[in-house]
Amino acid sequence: RIFGRDIMKETIAARSQIGIVHEPSNIYTDLTAWQNLMFTAELYHVGKEQREKRGRELLDLFGLLERKDDKSNGISKGMKRRLTLAMGLINDPRLLFLDEPTSGLDVQSNLIIRDVIRDLNEQGVTVFLTTHNIEEANLACDRVAIINHGRIAAIDSPERLKHTIRSVQ
């Protein structure tokens, strides 16, 4: 169940509450930034008026509005990552899964993405962030789970986990 929706019986309604940002880009490089956003919005069944309004807001938020008509193969890795995040947010999800959102990015893109994650969380969006960067988890997360061989080995606030790790050493 996702926000009261049975994922098996109410698949579309449940999925409409979720945004997913994969580490490998799911951008179609032969499409423009705008076309990628609109295509993703259609997949999430976002109405035309709403998807166009939301698309402009997201491109502006991620500093991509001026590049909206550029083919995606002509933009930087950081811009592609920001576009991927915009695509994951086009349906205004209540639950967001982010897989290594800042891996290998420039400082500007990294800061924009961290600010957006913080703002989303303050707005009540639940964000699941996977990262190998403990400092990123410390800055972006209220709770951190350490997973070892597919099982949760520890879960707590970043500060308590750091204290626990220090006391074990």
Side-chain angles (χ1 to χ4, degrees):
R1 301 188 78 76
I2 297 173
F3 298 110
R5 305 284 187 170
D6 184 318
I7 191 73
M8 300 302 286
K9 294 178 182 169
E10 302 172 275
T11 305
I12 292 173
R15 285 185 182 176
S16 71
Q17 302 290 307
I18 302 171
I20 301 173
V21 179
H22 305 276
E23 182 180 9
S25 176
N26 61 340
I27 294 172
Y28 291 96
T29 56
D30 56 333
L31 298 179
T32 66
W34 182 254
Q35 290 168 330
N36 270 289
L37 266 179
M38 294 303 101
F39 177 69
T40 304
E42 287 181 45
L43 292 176
Y44 278 102
H45 302 282
V46 178
K48 184 178 182 190
E49 186 177 317
Q50 179 61 24
R51 74 176 163 247
E52 289 180 358
K53 178 179 184 266
R54 183 86 173 134
R56 280 186 186 76
E57 291 169 355
L58 288 168
L59 288 176
D60 187 41
L61 176 68
F62 288 107
L64 297 170
L65 195 54
E66 293 176 5
R67 306 293 300 268
K68 79 180 192 69
D69 296 319
D70 292 358
K71 294 257 183 179
S72 298
N73 63 359
I75 60 176
S76 72
K77 180 180 178 182
M79 289 178 180
K80 285 179 183 170
R81 196 67 184 143
R82 287 184 267 155
L83 176 57
T84 303
L85 191 51
M87 291 164 63
L89 294 171
I90 192 70
N91 62 321
D92 202 16
R94 295 173 56 196
L95 174 61
L96 180 63
F97 292 95
L98 300 174
D99 185 17
E100 300 282 354
T102 60
S103 177
L105 293 186
D106 59 276
V107 174
Q108 179 188 13
S109 294
N110 201 320
L111 291 173
I112 289 170
I113 290 171
R114 281 190 188 165
D115 286 347
V116 169
I117 292 170
R118 192 174 304 111
D119 290 346
L120 287 168
N121 194 247
E122 287 173 3
Q123 295 168 23
V125 175
T126 300
V127 180
F128 279 88
L129 170 72
T130 61
T131 184
H132 290 88
N133 182 340
I134 194 69
E135 192 53 38
E136 179 174 42
N138 185 44
L139 291 171
C141 301
D142 297 325
R143 290 186 347 157
V144 174
I146 296 174
I147 300 174
N148 185 15
H149 298 297
R151 297 195 181 263
I152 295 177
I155 187 168
D156 211 332
S157 71
E159 207 50 51
R160 285 188 187 146
L161 278 177
K162 284 194 288 188
H163 178 71
T164 301
I165 290 169
R166 276 190 224 120
S167 65
V168 171
Q169 294 176 342

